[in-house]
Amino acid sequence: DIVLTQSPALAVSLEQRATISCKTSQNVDNYGISYMHWYQQKPGQQPKLLIYEGSNLASGIPARFSGSGSGTDFTLTIDPVEADDIATYYCQQSKDYPRTFGGGTKLELK
Amino acid sequence: EVQLVESGGGLVQPGRSLKLSCAASGFTFSNYGMAWVCQAPTKGLEWVASISTGGGNTYYRDSVKGRFTISRDNAKNTLYLQMDSLRSEDTATYYCARDYYDGYYYVMDAWGQGASVTVSS
């Protein structure tokens, strides 16, 4: 199985930049496509797709969210952080079955 | 508007069965793969199973193989998860998700609100 590793938590101040990393145990790129996606989940709510294919913004997602990386190292950036962004963020790969998620990074306010 | 509404959750004893349903609307259901993802209390997300557009291809995580069955009825725009031989470790919220395929990759681009399953005696 492809293991995705995220830091459990990140403390950030409003209006600052948040950088959330995701490292995979195997390359999740293929033919120039990154099979890496990012989701946001607020307490008591279902996950919401933020970024797909490593760097593409999902429909309706504000431009302060961006994704980057390739191979085994990926990053979700929120710049600037707003109060509404306090949530848990998950990376997920769809290159191989079983589909796997990172453990999630809880974004907290300093 | 895309809507996915799960139902069928509840409290069930270990070893018993439960069947979840997910009613889809706002899109052409038969054109999309579908998936189930679970989340144990205070834990992260875990993919459970996926099914192709016509239902001919199914995929499961190892821990549910042989116990859970994903299926779909395209005439009723409904996705199912038959859960047999339930264990306490299956206790979780189960989300139904639309599995968008662009020709290269799948991504779960729409999610239901979840159905809670508790396995306990």
Side-chain angles (χ1 to χ4, degrees), chain B residues 91-104:
Chain B
T91 294
T93 296
Y94 286 76
Y95 295 101
C96 158
R98 187 175 76 171
D99 219 2
Y100 171 73
Y101 182 61
D102 88 327
Y104 294 96

Side-chain angles (χ1 to χ4, degrees), chain B residues 43-94:
Chain B
K43 300 297 184 182
L45 301 170
E46 275 194 344
W47 169 81
V48 174
S50 293
I51 188 167
S52 59
T53 53
N57 294 308
T58 56
Y59 308 86
Y60 300 91
R61 66 180 298 109
D62 283 350
S63 61
V64 307
K65 275 181 190 172
R67 300 189 300 123
F68 289 11
T69 304
I70 188 172
S71 63
R72 64 191 297 160
D73 185 335
N74 285 345
K76 294 184 178 180
N77 292 340
T78 303
L79 175 72
Y80 303 101
L81 185 67
Q82 176 68 44
M83 310 164 73
D84 298 324
S85 303
L86 281 161
R87 306 168 180 167
S88 58
E89 54 263 38
D90 297 320
T91 294
T93 296
Y94 286 76

Side-chain angles (χ1 to χ4, degrees), chain A residues 69-82:
Chain A
S70 64
T72 60
D73 285 274
F74 295 87
T75 300
L76 172 70
T77 301
I78 312 170
D79 189 13
V81 170
E82 297 187 0

Side-chain angles (χ1 to χ4, degrees), chain A residues 83-103:
Chain A
D84 188 52
D85 301 333
I86 299 306
T88 299
Y89 294 85
Y90 294 91
C91 56
Q92 181 250 325
Q93 64 81 23
S94 62
K95 182 171 183 290
D96 286 332
Y97 286 102
R99 312 256 193 100
T100 46
F101 289 87

